[in-house]
Amino acid sequence: MGVSNTNSDKTQEEEQQDLPKVVLLRPPPAFSLIGEESFASNKFQFLKTYDSQLPLDQFLSTHSHSIKAILSSAGAPVNADILQLLPEVGLVVTTSAGLNHVDIPECRRRGIKIANAGHVYSDDVADLAVGLLIDVLRKVSASDRYVRQGLWADKGNYLHGSKLGGKRTGIVGLGNIGYEVAKRLEAFGCVVSYNSRKKKPYVSYPFYHNVCELAANCDALIICCGLSDETRHMINKPVLSALGKEGFIVNIGRGDIIDEKEMVSCLMRGEIAGAGLDVFENEPNVRKEFFAMDNVVLSPHRAVFTPESLKDLSQLVVGNLEAFLTNEPLLSEYVDNE
């Protein structure tokens, strides 16, 4: 005799409901780029605050008993107010390398682990950093516009650019990304030096405790550090003045690390030679002054987004969440002052 289903047999939907919940405060950009299914797992279920009509605090309080982790992305702060509503949360996973949107001290106080994107983006961001530097030095984008506008035939050859090889390049923030930038620049024959929170024992590049001193001894400054209270507007008028009228700046960190108003003024007055920017202070609203500058190369904060890095990100995010829920070591746990 066949065995029939009984009321005690759980449907697939009911089994999903029993899974630990990972709350999403907003959809990560990767969801729209490679699909939410890339982040699916049979060990947890996403709970989306943005699909509910309830106020955020009410929604979180209603589901607080089942929410074990948070998947966050930049633009959706994970602060003390959020964490207070989620006493069962033991992990915050971010889809970014930077953690300026996460209240790290509050997470530490509550014993909540943090996992970020780790090394996933390092190669792609380093590639773009070098690409922006080459572009602004050799005037690639400006030359492209010159040709497309038919000016080559009308006005003759475009202004020549400057070579990368031999340039003294200073890296601000020699973490995962900064180190990859350094290796690429070294291969181009650049002379690399750096500023970071602390001197790195594994490199022989000259170390400068002071960013102004670094800038004064460089032809190009590449910003690779994260955003914090200490680094906000760290690249200010004195640093830009130290870099000088022959100096170039590239930013693939965060827009607020540079005092953008001062940078615009320096560019307009010829006090620095040019800039390559993937990040801005008021994204996606970019200062209109940049648009008329042929010595500035602009990119819409897309350094991390390649099909390869997004695939690796989805695997890392799922791996971290599954590891936490099965009491295994996290794949990319954030360690303070690493």
Side-chain angles (χ1 to χ4, degrees), residues 171 174 179 182-183 186 192-194 199 203-207:
I171 297 173
L174 200 71
Y179 184 53
K183 290 195 297 183
E186 199 172 16
V192 177
S193 54
Y194 74 102
K199 189 174 182 179
V203 300
S204 59
Y205 310 130
F207 171 69

Side-chain angles (χ1 to χ4, degrees), residues 108-133:
R108 296 307 187 216
R109 190 181 75 80
R110 293 177 174 272
I112 297 171
K113 295 181 177 181
I114 302 170
N116 65 357
H119 296 264
V120 162
Y121 300 131
S122 299
D123 284 340
D124 294 314
V125 178
D127 287 348
L128 185 67
V130 176
L132 287 171
L133 182 58

Side-chain angles (χ1 to χ4, degrees), residues 46-67:
F46 287 126
L47 198 61
K48 305 167 188 173
T49 61
Y50 46 88
D51 281 348
S52 173
Q53 299 298 316
L54 292 175
L56 178 61
D57 57 348
Q58 187 177 340
F59 179 89
L60 294 178
S61 297
T62 300
H63 298 280
S64 62
H65 65 286
S66 62
I67 297 174

Side-chain angles (χ1 to χ4, degrees), residues 239-260:
V239 174
L240 295 168
S241 296
L243 183 61
K245 63 181 182 180
E246 301 297 328
F248 295 84
I249 191 163
V250 169
N251 191 6
I252 45 80
R254 285 289 187 271
D256 287 358
I257 296 169
I258 299 179
D259 185 335
E260 204 170 86

Side-chain angles (χ1 to χ4, degrees), residues 14-306:
E14 289 171 332
E15 288 176 349
Q16 284 284 314
Q17 291 298 321
D18 288 343
L19 290 174
K21 302 301 185 292
V22 176
V23 73
L24 293 168
L25 302 176
R26 65 176 295 177
F31 274 25
S32 61
L33 294 169
I34 61 172
E36 182 182 333
E37 63 277 4
S38 300
F39 293 81
S41 169
N42 59 7
K43 291 185 171 62
F44 60 81
Q45 183 184 28
F46 287 126
L47 198 61
K48 305 167 188 173
T49 61
Y50 46 88
D51 281 348
S52 173
Q53 299 298 316
L54 292 175
L56 178 61
D57 57 348
Q58 187 177 340
F59 179 89
L60 294 178
S61 297
T62 300
H63 298 280
S64 62
H65 65 286
S66 62
I67 297 174
K68 306 300 181 185
I70 299 172
L71 175 58
S72 75
S73 55
V78 179
N79 53 33
D81 292 338
I82 295 292
L83 296 173
Q84 185 176 6
L85 297 171
L86 301 173
E88 297 297 319
V89 162
L91 173 68
V92 175
V93 178
T94 76
T95 58
S96 61
L99 292 168
N100 54 291
H101 60 294
V102 177
D103 189 333
I104 296 175
E106 183 65 14
C107 287
R108 296 307 187 216
R109 190 181 75 80
R110 293 177 174 272
I112 297 171
K113 295 181 177 181
I114 302 170
N116 65 357
H119 296 264
V120 162
Y121 300 131
S122 299
D123 284 340
D124 294 314
V125 178
D127 287 348
L128 185 67
V130 176
L132 287 171
L133 182 58
I134 292 173
D135 194 328
V136 71
L137 285 172
R138 295 299 303 271
K139 306 182 185 298
V140 178
S141 293
S143 297
D144 176 81
R145 290 191 294 271
Y146 190 79
V147 173
R148 290 176 186 272
Q149 292 166 10
L151 299 178
W152 189 12
D154 291 343
K155 296 188 176 182
N157 291 329
Y158 192 65
L159 297 173
H160 60 272
S162 178
K163 70 182 293 182
L164 176 59
K167 286 287 186 291
R168 300 172 301 160
T169 55
I171 297 173
V172 180
L174 200 71
N176 297 334
I177 293 170
Y179 184 53
E180 292 300 325
V181 172
K183 290 195 297 183
R184 285 156 173 75
L185 292 174
E186 199 172 16
F188 276 99
C190 294
V191 179
V192 177
S193 54
Y194 74 102
N195 163 268
S196 206
R197 284 179 294 187
K198 56 187 178 181
K199 189 174 182 179
K200 308 294 183 180
Y202 54 85
V203 300
S204 59
Y205 310 130
F207 171 69
Y208 289 86
H209 288 90
N210 185 284
V211 180
C212 263
E213 291 180 9
L214 176 67
N217 287 279
C218 288
D219 303 305
L221 205 60
I222 303 180
I223 313 305
C224 301
C225 61
L227 178 64
S228 65
D229 291 339
E230 291 73 28
T231 63
R232 189 179 304 275
H233 282 195
M234 176 173 63
I235 308 302
N236 51 23
K237 179 63 182 295
V239 174
L240 295 168
S241 296
L243 183 61
K245 63 181 182 180
E246 301 297 328
F248 295 84
I249 191 163
V250 169
N251 191 6
I252 45 80
R254 285 289 187 271
D256 287 358
I257 296 169
I258 299 179
D259 185 335
E260 204 170 86
K261 183 179 179 181
E262 286 293 350
M263 179 173 61
V264 167
S265 296
C266 288
L267 286 163
M268 293 180 72
R269 293 194 299 262
E271 294 174 1
I272 61 173
L277 308 171
D278 183 54
V279 289
F280 306 87
E281 277 199 270
N282 190 30
E283 297 175 4
N285 301 306
V286 177
R287 291 177 183 268
K288 292 181 172 57
E289 295 96 326
F290 287 135
F291 300 162
M293 297 180 183
D294 272 350
N295 59 340
V296 176
V297 180
L298 308 173
S299 171
H301 201 158
R302 280 297 179 266
V304 302
F305 293 133
T306 66

